[in-house]
Amino acid sequence: MNGLHGGDIYDDCLKEQTEGKVLLDFSANINPLGMPGRVQQAVIRALEDAVHYPDPKCRKLRRRLARTYGLSEEFFLCGNGGADLIYRLAYALRPKSALLPAPTFAEYEEAMKQGGTRCIFYEMDEGLQIREDILDRMEEPVNVMFLCNPNNPTGLLIPQQLLLRILEKAVRKQILLVLDECFLDFTGQEERSLIAYVKETPYLFILKSFTKMYAMPGIRLGYGISGNRTLLERMETAGQCWGVSVLASEAGIAALEETEYKEKAVRLVKEERAWLKRELEACGMQVWDGQADYLFFRTQGKWDLYEQLLPYGILIRKCGNYRGLDRSCYRIAVKDREANQRLIEALRKSGG
């Protein structure tokens, strides 16, 4: 698991490598606006209720989610972050085989392997995009398939008509489509969500998270949406009883009220992402046209950019451990202009 994800700011070696500078963490894709003040206050108020066990069924939060999406609360399952739900699904189903794109979020493969599932990989081409030939791979004996939209680490969206064809074929082949929409909020294109389809089929499970948009990764809160009540009940019993704390539940309820904050974040990320892409390309990088709050890029054969930026107090995400990528591949979060400028200045000074 070491080095599997970004956001590890706790390694003592970083203090030496950053030479005591204030660390700017571009390795974790968190809303540059920071945690909303009302969410912080909700957590503080909830401390009084933390003397009690949490509600194991997250009734209050599920009711609030139901109101947000116009669905019955029976469609929702809450967990200790999105990763918790991925593992619950793996343990609940223990499917014989799973179709996974490569590259994509590593926890899908990790969870499937822990459940004894055989993983079949759809290898993307040089453009790192999901193509129509993934429909051919669905002809193989597959029980579940994972898609991340937009994908992690590239930030690329799946063409909408292709996504709908994938869902249609998943239903026809009785393949559970697990669609990770954790970063879709940042794209400003939430009409691409397939949440409306959970009413129509039991073969769709949508994964969402509060972590990124509301800058609360340390609180740990995610949720799944599905019309397959049997699946949700099995997932509920596949993990610990109290997966969501009192504090996390109240934080999520408060976050769902933050509509203006969310709109502001989408505007900021769109503007800064475009600026960062231009600057990275000016530094000689090959940059993918990601639509999330991060950018994926490849250096021209330079494999030590991570190490070169550390003395400047800059931490970026190495992507060489993603299946199908090499050490010339990196991902950076989109932050505010001041932080983004510091990154670009460090890139220029390091010869990047």
Side-chain angles (χ1 to χ4, degrees):
M1 294 292 289
N2 185 37
L4 194 62
H5 301 294
D8 185 5
I9 61 172
Y10 306 101
D11 190 338
D12 289 337
C13 293
L14 283 178
K15 295 178 182 178
E16 299 177 9
Q17 292 171 302
T18 56
E19 300 177 356
K21 292 183 174 63
V22 176
L23 185 66
L24 265 180
D25 183 12
F26 281 85
S27 71
N29 312 311
I30 307 302
N31 191 327
L33 294 179
M35 189 186 300
R38 282 184 289 188
V39 172
Q40 295 181 30
Q41 291 303 311
V43 172
I44 293 170
R45 289 194 301 271
L47 286 170
E48 294 182 5
D49 294 323
V51 296
H52 305 292
Y53 280 102
D55 176 1
K57 295 187 178 297
C58 296
R59 295 172 180 89
K60 187 178 176 183
L61 176 56
R62 285 170 53 223
R63 283 195 296 269
R64 183 62 184 83
L65 285 165
R67 196 162 83 245
T68 296
Y69 290 104
L71 295 169
S72 164
E73 61 188 81
E74 298 303 311
F75 282 81
F76 297 90
L77 177 67
C78 302
N80 186 245
D84 176 39
L85 294 168
I86 294 169
Y87 281 87
R88 283 176 182 263
L89 188 144
Y91 300 149
L93 292 183
R94 298 189 182 273
K96 290 183 179 179
S97 59
L99 178 61
L100 310 174
T104 196
F105 186 49
E107 292 296 349
Y108 310 146
E109 180 181 352
E110 291 294 318
M112 288 296 107
K113 285 181 176 178
Q114 287 196 22
T117 299
R118 181 174 71 94
C119 293
I120 302 168
F121 295 98
Y122 169 77
E123 303 282 350
M124 299 184 199
D125 61 12
E126 278 296 307
L128 302 179
Q129 179 65 277
I130 299 287
R131 308 177 309 276
E132 292 208 5
D133 59 353
I134 195 171
L135 296 166
D136 298 329
R137 300 303 303 274
M138 294 173 70
E139 292 293 337
E140 300 182 40
V142 173
N143 306 112
V144 61
M145 67 181 296
F146 286 81
L147 291 176
C148 189
N149 194 37
N151 194 26
N152 181 0
T154 63
L156 298 180
L157 287 159
I158 302 171
Q160 190 69 5
Q161 288 305 311
L162 175 57
L163 184 58
L164 291 173
R165 290 177 63 192
I166 291 170
L167 174 61
E168 180 184 2
K169 187 159 189 174
V171 173
R172 191 168 68 249
K173 302 286 290 185
Q174 298 186 341
I175 300 169
L176 178 66
L177 173 59
V178 180
L179 183 61
D180 186 340
E181 295 185 352
C182 287
F183 288 103
L184 190 61
D185 292 357
F186 284 104
T187 67
Q189 303 177 58
E190 290 184 81
E191 69 275 5
R192 289 174 172 265
S193 174
L194 296 194
I195 290 175
Y197 291 86
V198 297
K199 294 180 180 180
E200 302 178 8
T201 174
Y203 294 103
L204 177 62
F205 178 90
I206 294 181
L207 184 67
K208 301 284 284 183
S209 173
F210 288 90
T211 295
K212 300 344 190 260
M213 175 54 74
Y214 302 102
M216 44 190 273
I219 292 178
R220 312 302 306 139
L221 183 61
Y223 57 101
I225 311 174
S226 179
N228 188 334
R229 190 59 205 163
T230 300
L231 170 63
L232 296 183
E233 288 173 353
R234 290 174 66 180
M235 289 176 63
E236 191 172 6
T237 59
Q240 61 164 314
C241 182
W242 300 287
V244 177
S245 72
V246 171
L247 308 184
S249 179
E250 291 300 318
I253 292 167
L256 290 170
E257 302 291 339
E258 293 286 349
T259 54
E260 290 184 11
Y261 163 93
K262 185 176 176 181
E263 292 168 359
K264 182 179 178 181
V266 171
R267 290 194 301 269
L268 174 63
V269 165
K270 182 179 181 180
E271 179 181 339
E272 290 303 313
R273 185 176 62 229
W275 184 88
L276 261 180
K277 185 173 185 292
R278 289 194 301 269
E279 294 297 322
L280 286 170
E281 289 173 337
C283 290
M285 309 301 177
Q286 179 187 5
V287 188
W288 270 251
D289 190 25
Q291 299 298 302
D293 64 323
Y294 51 89
L295 283 172
F296 173 81
F297 64 95
R298 176 175 275 141
T299 63
Q300 302 302 317
K302 189 171 187 176
W303 290 7
D304 60 350
L305 187 62
Y306 173 91
E307 290 78 12
Q308 288 197 8
L309 290 177
L310 283 178
Y312 297 94
I314 303 290
L315 181 65
I316 64 175
R317 175 68 162 92
K318 294 185 286 186
C319 293
N321 62 343
Y322 279 86
R323 185 177 292 272
L325 300 181
D326 61 33
R327 289 186 294 143
S328 68
C329 299
Y330 299 89
R331 189 195 68 201
I332 55 168
V334 175
K335 293 185 176 292
D336 61 25
R337 181 60 58 90
E338 182 180 355
N340 294 336
Q341 285 178 330
R342 181 173 153 188
L343 167 66
I344 296 301
E345 290 170 4
L347 268 174
R348 290 171 177 154
K349 290 177 182 177
S350 67

